[in-house]
Amino acid sequence: MALIRYFAPQGQPVLVPITKPVTTIGRALGNDIHVPDRSVADHHAQIVFNGRDFQLEELDRQADILINGKKKRRARLVDGDRLTLGEANLVFSMFSEVSRQSREEQEADGSGSLVISEVGGLRKLHAFSERLMTTASVDELLETLLDAVVEFTGAKRGVVLLVDPEETQGTPRVRASRHVRREAIEDPQGQISDSIVRRVIDSKRPVIVSDALSDTTFGQSESVMALQLSSVMCAPLLSQGNVIGALYVANDEVKHLFERNQLEVLTIFAGQASLILQNAMLLNALRADKRKLEAELSDKRFGQIIGACPSMMEVFRKLTKVAATDIGVLITGETGTGKELIAREIHRRSNRERGPFITVNCGAIPENLIESEMFGHVKGAFTGAIASRPGKFQQADGGTLFLDEVGELTPALQVKLLRAIQERIVYRVGDSKPEKCDIRIVAATNRNLDEMIKTGEFREDLYYRLNVVNLWLPPLRDRGDDVFIIAKALLSKYADEMASTVRGYSPQALAAIKKYNWPGNIRQLENRIKKALVLCDQSLLAPDDMDLGPEAQEPIVPLEKAKEDFQRRYVLEVLERNNGNRTQTARDLGVDPRTIFRYLEKEQNPIPSGASGGAERDS
C-alpha cells in the first residue's frame, strides 16, 4: 500500500498509509491526511486509487499543487514523487520510507524482529498489489491476500467476511477463508468469534486480543470459550465510511502472538481488501448496467437510431409508413440531431435497400462545381474536365439520393434540381443528351425553409416537391432520458474502439449531462465523449472530463423574468400567425391591445444582452 510522508516544520516526519479509494489532504481536521500549515487549503487535494494507479487531484481551484516542482491540477503519482501543497512538503512512496529504517533504530527500540516482520508484511502486500490487475477472479485475489496475511502474522486461521447491505441484521458472511469453514460465522460453536467480529463491525475500529480467554471484554463470550481462543486480530473493511465486512485472523495455540505493529499492518491489508471488493462491486455494477443498457437498447433502438421519447416515437411511426413508398421526405431539425441516420433508415426499410445510398452535402461543394457534382459532365465541358464523369444523380440510380443541407442550394441550381425531380431526367454539363434516373429523393436541412421562401431564397415549388412528408427531429435537450441512453451507448461504442479503461459515468456527470442544453445535439455529445475517453485517467467520467463544470450550466433566472420572456415570445408568435394584426392577436389572447403594443415596444427596444442574453437566444 502506498504511503505519504509529511515533513512537518517541527518534530518528526509523519508517515500516513493510504488505505482508502479516496484519501483527502488539507488543513481541516476532517481530512484523512491532516496538514496543519496555514498555506494549505482546508480541503486542498485528494488521492484517488482506481484499482491500478494513484492519482492526485485538486479540490480547491485556488490552492497551488506542485509535483516535482511543476504546477499540476491532476497527475498520476509514481514512487518518490515530491508533492508541494502551498508551502507544505510531502513525499509519495511505496513502503520505501519504512524499509529504510536503520538497523540502529530497530535495535534501539528493541523490536527489530517486529519491524522486519512489519516490513515483510508490507512487501508482501506490495507484491500482491501488483497482481491486482492481472487476476480476474475476486475470490482468488482474496484468498491470495489471506495467504499473505496468515503467513506474515503467524496465524492459524484467516477469513474475509462481508456484510449483506440488504439484510436488516447485517449478518457477516464468509467470502474467502483459510482453514475455516464458510459456515463458521453462523455457528457460535464454529471457528470464529462472532462477538469480536460484531464489535469490529459496530465500532468500525480494529481489535487485537492477546489472550481472549482472560480478556475482560470477550472472555465470557460463548464463542471465545468454546473455541478456547488465544490470539485474535480483526480489522473492518470500509467503503466510503460504511462497513462492508471484516478481515479476521486467529491462533488458538499461542498467547500474545500479535503486537500492535501487526494490527496496523493488518489494517492496511484490510484497506487493500476493501479496494478489491469495491472494484469488484463496481465491476459487477458496470456489468449489470451494461446488461440493462443492452436490454433498454433492444426496446429503444430503431435500426441505428436510439430513442424512446414521445416525439421520437412519432418520428419512427411516420418513418415506418413512408419508407415503403417513393414519396419525397424532408427531414428538418437542428444541426447534430441525426438527420442522416434517419435518411439511411428510410433507405434501409424501402424497396430500394439493395440499391445505392448516395449523400450530397449541398453546403460543402463550391458553387462553380455543384452542378457538375450533381449531374456529371462530359469530357472537355470545362477546363480540367479530362474525362466524362457521372454525377450523384446517375450514381444513385436505383437507390436513394440524400440531399443534406438542401437549404444551401443556389437559386439557379434549385431550378435544375426541380426539373430533375419532376422529369426524372438529367443533363450532364456540356451534353445535350438526357439521362433517365430512377431515384428517390430524401432531403434534410437545419434552416427554416418557410422563412427562406418568404425572402425569396428558396423556391416554393421545389419546397413542395421535397416536403411531401416532413420528419422533424427534436433537439437533444427536449428528449428527456434519451440523453442518458445515447450517452451510455456512445461511451460503450467508443471505449471499445479506443481500448479505453473508462467504463461509465459518475453520478455527477450524468446529472450534468441532463442539465446541459447541448446546442450541438448528439454530434456535440459524441465529440465530448471521444475527447473525455482520450484524456481521462479514471474509470468513471466526471463532469470536468466532458467540460460540463458549473460554468457550463445555463444560469437560473428569476421566475418572474422567465414568465415575462415566455409571454413575450408567445405574443410575438401569435402576432406572426395573424400577419401582424394586433387587434386580432389581442382578441385571440384575451388581453388588452395595449399589452400587444407593450411587447412590440420591448422587441423594438430590447433590454441589453447582458440582462437577457439567454432569453434572446432562445426566442
Side-chain angles (χ1 to χ4, degrees), residues 77-295:
L77 296 176
V78 298
D79 185 58
D81 274 348
R82 292 176 289 103
L83 317 179
T84 304
L85 309 184
E87 297 177 0
N89 296 312
L90 304 91
V91 173
F92 175 85
S93 60
M94 298 295 292
F95 320 132
S96 56
E97 306 301 334
V98 176
S99 62
R100 286 173 190 150
Q101 183 175 5
S102 66
R103 292 180 179 271
E104 290 77 13
E105 289 176 306
Q106 295 174 20
E107 294 170 357
D109 63 16
S111 60
S113 61
L114 291 177
V115 172
I116 293 172
S117 174
E118 181 179 351
V119 173
L122 289 171
R123 285 175 176 164
K124 288 181 182 297
L125 182 57
H126 183 210
F128 173 77
S129 300
E130 294 179 342
R131 295 184 52 194
L132 270 179
M133 302 306 294
T134 60
T135 305
S137 169
V138 176
D139 290 328
E140 182 181 342
L141 282 168
L142 291 177
E143 291 184 0
T144 304
L145 177 65
L146 279 176
D147 285 338
V149 171
V150 168
E151 181 181 350
F152 121 81
T153 60
K156 291 296 184 182
R157 296 189 302 276
V159 293
V160 174
L161 304 113
L162 296 185
V163 176
D164 188 346
E166 296 182 0
E167 288 191 11
T168 55
Q169 298 297 325
T171 303
R173 306 289 180 184
V174 174
R175 177 65 186 264
S177 65
R178 276 293 174 267
H179 314 301
V180 176
R181 298 195 314 272
R182 291 180 180 272
E183 302 82 11
I185 192 63
E186 303 172 9
D187 179 11
Q189 304 301 320
Q191 296 175 288
I192 299 174
S193 172
D194 55 344
S195 59
I196 294 176
V197 172
R198 178 53 57 189
R199 169 63 66 88
V200 169
I201 290 175
D202 291 344
S203 66
K204 300 182 182 180
R205 300 183 66 84
V207 166
I208 181 171
V209 182
S210 299
D211 184 357
L213 287 172
S214 302
D215 189 88
T216 56
T217 303
F218 302 107
Q220 300 304 311
S221 167
E222 182 181 354
S223 60
V224 169
M225 291 188 293
L227 294 170
Q228 295 293 300
L229 293 177
S230 291
S231 299
V232 177
M233 284 196 301
C234 188
L237 306 180
L238 301 174
S239 174
Q240 298 178 352
N242 298 317
V243 177
I244 60 174
L247 178 58
Y248 176 102
V249 292
N251 191 311
D252 308 337
E253 301 172 359
V254 182
K255 297 180 182 180
H256 304 286
L257 173 66
F258 304 134
E259 300 289 341
R260 181 63 56 179
N261 292 358
Q262 291 174 300
L263 182 64
E264 293 175 357
V265 178
L266 183 72
T267 303
I268 299 177
F269 272 96
Q272 187 75 351
S274 299
L275 292 176
I276 296 170
L277 293 169
Q278 287 178 76
N279 290 337
M281 290 187 286
L282 175 60
L283 183 60
N284 289 337
L286 290 174
R287 286 172 176 167
D289 192 44
K290 184 175 183 180
R291 289 193 296 270
K292 181 181 177 183
L293 176 61
E294 290 172 350

Side-chain angles (χ1 to χ4, degrees), residues 457-501:
E457 297 176 81
F458 201 85
R459 294 182 62 90
E460 187 173 11
D461 46 5
L462 175 59
Y463 174 74
Y464 289 121
R465 281 287 179 183
L466 297 174
N467 190 30
V468 180
V469 173
N470 177 254
L471 293 180
W472 175 78
L473 301 187
L476 188 56
R477 60 183 171 275
D478 293 338
R479 290 179 57 178
D481 289 344
D482 278 3
V483 67
F484 293 141
I485 303 172
I486 294 171
K488 291 177 182 178
L490 291 173
L491 178 66
S492 178
K493 174 185 176 182
Y494 291 116
D496 290 341
E497 287 184 7
M498 299 178 181
S500 172
T501 58

Side-chain angles (χ1 to χ4, degrees), residues 554-572:
E554 287 288 328
I556 298 175
V557 299
L559 183 59
E560 284 300 319
K561 184 180 185 310
K563 288 167 60 178
E564 179 72 14
D565 290 340
F566 170 77
Q567 290 174 348
R568 177 178 59 82
R569 292 196 300 270
Y570 189 62
V571 166
L572 295 175

Side-chain angles (χ1 to χ4, degrees), residues 451 454 569-581 584-585 588-589:
E451 290 297 324
K454 292 178 183 178
R569 292 196 300 270
Y570 189 62
V571 166
L572 295 175
E573 180 183 332
V574 176
L575 185 65
E576 183 178 359
R577 290 170 61 181
N578 287 327
N579 297 318
N581 188 321
Q584 182 62 41
T585 299
D588 289 344
L589 295 175

Side-chain angles (χ1 to χ4, degrees), residues 508-527:
Q508 296 83 358
L510 289 175
I513 287 172
K514 184 66 178 290
K515 290 179 182 178
Y516 189 59
N517 202 38
W518 297 112
N521 294 291
I522 299 172
R523 184 179 296 117
Q524 183 186 15
L525 173 62
E526 184 178 33
N527 289 340

